[in-house]
Amino acid sequence: MTGRLWRIGWRNLGRNRKRTVLTALGLGVGYFSVVFMVGWAEGVSTGLVENATSLISGQIEIHDADYRPERSLYETIGGREGADVGEILRTIEADPSVVAAAPRVYASGLVSSGEATSAGILLGVDPEREVALTRFLDPLAAGRLPAAGRYEAVVGDEMARQLELSVGDELIVVASAADGSMGNDLYTVTGIFRTGLLEFDAGTLVMPVADLQTLVVLDPGRVHEVAVSTDDPSQADLTATRLAAALDAPERAMSVAPWMELNPVLAQYVALADATYWIFIVLIYSVASFGIANTTLMATFERRREFAVMLALGASPRSVVGTVLSEAVATGVIGLGLGTAVTVPLMVWFSTAPPDLAWLYGNLTVEGVLLTPSLRVGTNVPAWTWATIGLIVTALVSALYPALRAARVPPADTLSGL
């Protein structure tokens, strides 16, 4: 019985090919809209996370348990005695999900050039490791990276503008040291970086980690942070859990925090974006269903004499309903085919080479994250699956009322012309 109704449904679609194609196109457009909107939302969320974590911070940060939120100069990993930084880095890089790891030292200080002075953050890094981890030093807007032991530093472009610095100029750095003294020295500007984040570019000076340790009187084994990048930012929490176990973090009193913990606002935004996928599916298919229901209702009204003959010959109302619904399913399958034919190439294009929208919007800053707008889409297989199911359900629901109307056609009155 089901197979016969399915064949009848396919055959009846050929009666009015234009209407069939238009109805299928409506479903196909709805399918494309759902997949594209969900993919774009996924792409925006992924872009936010990647930009937030790959520009400066990394996906995981390891500190002394007491370092955050005050970020005291004295709270280094391993406490006042320090730690074997090389061993920590080797342990971290042994994890298969880790792409790179880099130690960092932080201090607050004053940066002076001529008569101009600016307060800012002094950041000590391992240049080679840092460029493998983050993007803010690669490429530089001008100059080159500083070399260890040569009293060299790079500054943000906004700090360079305020202090009227250029590559090759000298500046004085003054900072409070860990032994209670005041550290000060003369450094040469070898490069200027530009992130697009005004506060960071205006208030950050970067030098080799060993040079900053010397300036603020910290032993070589004392670092404030080890930043880690992973191959999948969405799984950073799982990687952090493995690293904590590998490092015996509780015993060493270390905090291993993924970006979800370090930036809870961004994590909430990503969770909210995930929760809105259902809104796209329900809203778009609800709008499509009204048009499809209207078209199906008109089609069944035109065929009321056909349904009357079926009923007069002994067909049950259920078989009439099944005939109309089988046509709806067949239309949905055609709509799915048309929608897939358009959706797949565009999704592949927008995923691998997304059109840049910076010319329209410029760079945007969201929750302190620099974002370049684009039509990048993400791959969300569950959403695609639900979009497919939603298309078939929409076709069935849209045809349900017309099918019930067709099953209630009075045979005698309809055939007599009343």
Side-chain angles (χ1 to χ4, degrees):
M1 182 68 175
T2 302
R4 184 168 69 250
L5 290 176
W6 179 250
R7 290 193 298 271
I8 292 173
W10 274 105
R11 184 192 64 195
N12 287 338
L13 293 182
R15 291 186 172 189
N16 192 323
R17 290 184 173 86
K18 290 183 179 179
R19 182 160 55 201
T20 299
V21 171
L22 289 175
T23 304
L25 277 175
L27 287 169
V29 169
Y31 177 80
F32 167 76
S33 300
V34 169
V35 172
F36 177 76
M37 292 301 294
V38 170
W40 193 20
E42 182 90 3
V44 171
S45 298
T46 302
L48 274 174
V49 172
E50 289 182 354
N51 280 280
T53 58
S54 66
L55 182 61
I56 300 170
S57 65
Q59 283 91 47
I60 299 172
E61 292 181 4
I62 301 172
H63 309 103
D64 180 79
D66 297 326
Y67 182 67
R68 291 185 299 118
E70 288 80 8
R71 304 181 74 88
S72 169
L73 174 67
Y74 307 99
E75 304 298 343
T76 54
I77 295 175
R80 304 297 173 93
E81 303 301 322
D84 187 339
V85 178
E87 178 196 352
I88 293 175
L89 292 173
R90 285 190 293 271
T91 301
I92 293 171
E93 291 171 340
D95 189 283
S97 297
V98 171
V99 174
R104 293 173 175 175
V105 172
Y106 292 90
S108 299
L110 296 176
V111 182
S112 301
S113 175
E115 297 181 357
T117 300
S118 176
I121 299 297
L122 310 179
L123 173 58
V125 302
D126 181 324
E128 290 185 2
R129 287 181 171 273
E130 194 65 39
V131 295
L133 176 78
T134 56
R135 294 183 289 109
F136 78 100
L137 293 178
D138 184 25
L140 292 172
R144 61 171 177 82
L145 293 172
R150 296 171 58 179
Y151 295 93
E152 296 177 343
V154 295
V155 299
D157 63 342
E158 183 60 22
M159 177 181 285
R161 187 191 65 81
Q162 294 176 5
L163 300 181
E164 299 181 352
L165 289 169
S166 59
V167 174
D169 290 346
E170 294 184 333
L171 50 78
I172 298 174
V173 179
V174 180
S176 297
D179 64 354
S181 63
M182 292 297 295
N184 65 90
D185 230 316
L186 186 67
Y187 295 85
T188 300
V189 177
T190 63
I192 296 174
F193 61 83
R194 181 187 300 115
T195 67
L197 300 175
L198 185 61
E199 291 185 2
F200 188 83
D201 292 343
T204 307
L205 178 144
V206 181
M207 66 177 69
V209 62
D211 291 358
L212 184 54
Q213 288 172 325
T214 299
L215 178 68
V216 297
V217 194
L218 287 175
D219 294 333
R222 298 188 65 182
V223 297
H224 296 110
E225 174 180 291
V226 175
V228 181
S229 65
T230 64
D231 55 5
D232 186 357
S234 65
Q235 302 297 314
D237 52 346
L238 300 179
T239 303
T241 300
R242 291 198 304 272
L243 292 180
L247 292 168
D248 296 326
E251 288 74 10
R252 299 192 187 188
M254 283 189 289
S255 168
V256 183
W259 66 266
M260 299 84 159
E261 179 181 336
L262 299 168
N263 195 338
V265 174
L266 181 60
Q268 291 171 4
Y269 174 86
V270 173
L272 179 62
D274 291 342
T276 61
Y277 296 160
W278 282 105
I279 297 177
F280 291 139
I281 295 175
V282 173
L283 182 61
I284 293 174
Y285 279 144
S286 295
V287 172
S289 67
F290 288 108
I292 297 166
N294 181 60
T295 302
T296 308
L297 189 60
M298 291 175 59
T300 54
F301 179 77
E302 293 173 357
R303 296 165 55 196
R304 62 191 184 280
R305 295 180 66 84
E306 174 190 333
F307 295 131
V309 170
M310 291 176 60
L311 293 170
L313 293 176
S316 66
R318 178 179 297 179
S319 64
V320 174
V321 171
T323 299
V324 177
L325 292 182
S326 66
E327 295 176 21
V329 173
T331 304
V333 171
I334 295 174
L336 178 61
L338 293 174
T340 301
V342 175
T343 301
V344 171
L346 287 177
M347 294 296 284
V348 171
W349 174 26
F350 292 161
S351 177
T352 56
D356 190 357
L357 298 180
W359 61 272
L360 182 61
Y361 297 104
N363 289 333
L364 304 176
T365 302
V366 180
E367 296 296 336
V369 179
L370 185 67
L371 180 66
T372 300
S374 69
L375 282 179
R376 176 186 181 184
V377 296
T379 302
N380 191 316
V381 175
W384 287 31
T385 303
W386 283 112
T388 301
I389 295 172
L391 184 146
I392 302 300
V393 170
T394 298
L396 283 171
V397 171
S398 301
L400 184 59
Y401 176 69
L404 295 175
R405 286 287 301 269
R408 292 201 298 266
V409 169
D413 291 344
T414 303
L415 295 176
S416 64
L418 298 178

